[in-house]
Amino acid sequence: MEKIRVLGDFFFSRIQGKPIYDGDGRLVGRLRDLAIRWQGETPHVTGIKFAKGVQDHIRIENLQSITHDRLELTGKFKEDELIPLRSDELYIGKWLMDKQIIDLKGTKVVRVNDIKLFWLQSGPRKHLALAAVDIGLRGLARRLGIEFLFKRMENQFVWWQSIQHLEEKTASLQLTHEGHQLDQLHPADLADLIEDLDYKKRTDFIDDLDVEVAAEAFAEMELDTQVEIIEHMDNQQASTILQEMPPDEAADLLGELPEEKSDELLSLMEPEEAQEVRELMGYEEGTAGALMTTEYIALPPGITAEEAITQLRKLAAEAETIYYLFIHGPDEILQGVVSLRELLIAEPLAILGELMQDRIVAVHPQDDHEKVADLLNKYGLLAIPVVDDDEKMLGIITVDDVLEILVEDRGSLETFSKFLVSKRSVRG
């Protein structure tokens, strides 16, 4: 194997605009851009764009030497030796600089501020290869000509071996194995990443995620961001995301869309889940019905604590909270509630109907959110059931859903502060 020597390293921003001379010392033009072909792990430069408006470029094989001050060609410059940009090539200044890339260490979206290149020699052949992208502040300062102010700051590189092959010129750069790593991020961090992306990139990014992970991240976003993303998705992808979201949050989102769009998305969802969401959308904003979710754990009164724990393991993943188990009689009539703490310390053969608290604090779907907040605070609850006039259970409202309302409603900050200091909210 031929030994490869590094003849020099350069930043694209430092050589862009530098003069190009041919072997006779004649000025040919200036480096406007570099054409590359991405084969294998490392992209290699294939040609030099030397003038504005010129579609053809100089073959990289004709480059004799390169410094921070100038580029020199071998022999006399000949226009008939110029080559056009091929379909599998791209310009790094036009299509790579300023691209977005995900910095997983910092769980944020950053930009390509500069590109580091190596001038290599392998046997008699010399070539330029892309080494890394610079995502740091120093790279940005270098482009602005003020790098001297940031000399003590380290460069922040992402090496090309860590970057996936770019399938489309307009796509964002992605890290190798990024999909798996992204799936491990907290949904709130994923939501921040997605919100930082250009709106045109968000749909493709979400499409690369596991559906459940995408839905969890989606639920963490601001409502206006959710609406913007859904409006740019195709209906099938959007309905899949909505179907994985908690029904109350899906209802909030669909309620912000035009009725025609909302109906189209609901028609693509599973009938049972779509019906749940439709019912939640029917409640007036600010009411208990609009705040509640239908994802809770309900068990019959006749089973034992041991059997209840077995059921809990099966049902927990689909519930908004598992801290309370609601006991249903016939026709989903709410008969009582058992806390998780009470269940865990109970004798295995104890019957739920004997363990449950039958003095139930509940609200009706038309009650306003202030009443819900007052009851949660007064009784130190983490969730409160919603029942109709016949005591049939419709759903639950959790503390976090109420807090979201109270944070926006500055007139309710006194109640909000009580939530934060209440010790009763962590009792069994």
Side-chain angles (χ1 to χ4, degrees), residues 231-336:
E231 287 179 337
H232 287 89
M233 279 184 176
D234 68 75
N235 286 347
Q236 188 60 59
Q237 184 186 20
S239 66
T240 301
I241 295 290
L242 288 165
Q243 196 160 273
E244 291 293 332
M245 291 175 65
D248 56 325
E249 295 181 11
D252 291 341
L253 172 52
L254 288 168
E256 296 295 317
L257 296 174
E259 186 175 351
E260 183 179 353
K261 177 76 169 180
S262 177
D263 288 341
E264 287 177 1
L265 296 177
L266 283 166
S267 68
L268 293 172
M269 295 170 63
E270 292 294 329
E272 185 176 342
E273 294 175 357
Q275 182 58 32
E276 273 189 294
V277 174
R278 287 185 190 276
E279 290 175 0
L280 292 173
M281 291 174 66
Y283 293 107
E284 186 178 347
E285 185 177 355
T287 64
L291 283 174
M292 74 177 179
T293 179
T294 54
E295 293 184 332
Y296 62 91
I297 294 178
L299 297 172
I303 66 173
T304 65
E306 187 174 39
E307 291 170 331
I309 290 174
T310 300
Q311 289 294 313
L312 181 61
R313 291 193 182 102
K314 296 177 181 178
L315 302 172
E318 302 299 325
E320 179 83 5
T321 178
I322 63 170
Y323 192 76
Y324 298 124
L325 312 178
F326 298 94
I327 311 305
H328 282 187
D331 300 322
E332 299 180 9
I333 300 300
L334 181 60
Q335 293 186 345

Side-chain angles (χ1 to χ4, degrees), residues 18-29:
K18 296 304 179 182
I20 304 170
Y21 296 93
D22 69 6
D24 293 340
R26 185 166 63 97
L27 178 65
V28 173

Side-chain angles (χ1 to χ4, degrees), residues 329-355:
D331 300 322
E332 299 180 9
I333 300 300
L334 181 60
Q335 293 186 345
V337 61
V338 177
S339 73
L340 181 60
R341 180 177 181 273
E342 291 167 336
L343 181 67
L344 292 176
I345 65 176
E347 292 295 327
L349 298 180
I351 303 300
L352 288 192
E354 298 172 357
L355 291 174

Side-chain angles (χ1 to χ4, degrees), residues 49 86 90 94 99 102 128 139-140 146 176-177 185 196 202 206 220 222 241 282 299 313 326 367 383 387 405 426:
K49 185 176 176 64
R86 292 179 19 166
L90 54 87
K94 183 176 182 178
K99 269 196 181 297
I102 295 170
L128 271 175
L140 180 60
I146 55 173
T176 305
H177 307 307
L185 292 180
D196 287 342
R202 289 170 173 168
I206 293 171
E220 296 287 341
E222 296 293 333
I241 295 290
L299 297 172
R313 291 193 182 102
F326 298 94
D367 291 338
V387 299
I405 299 292
V426 295

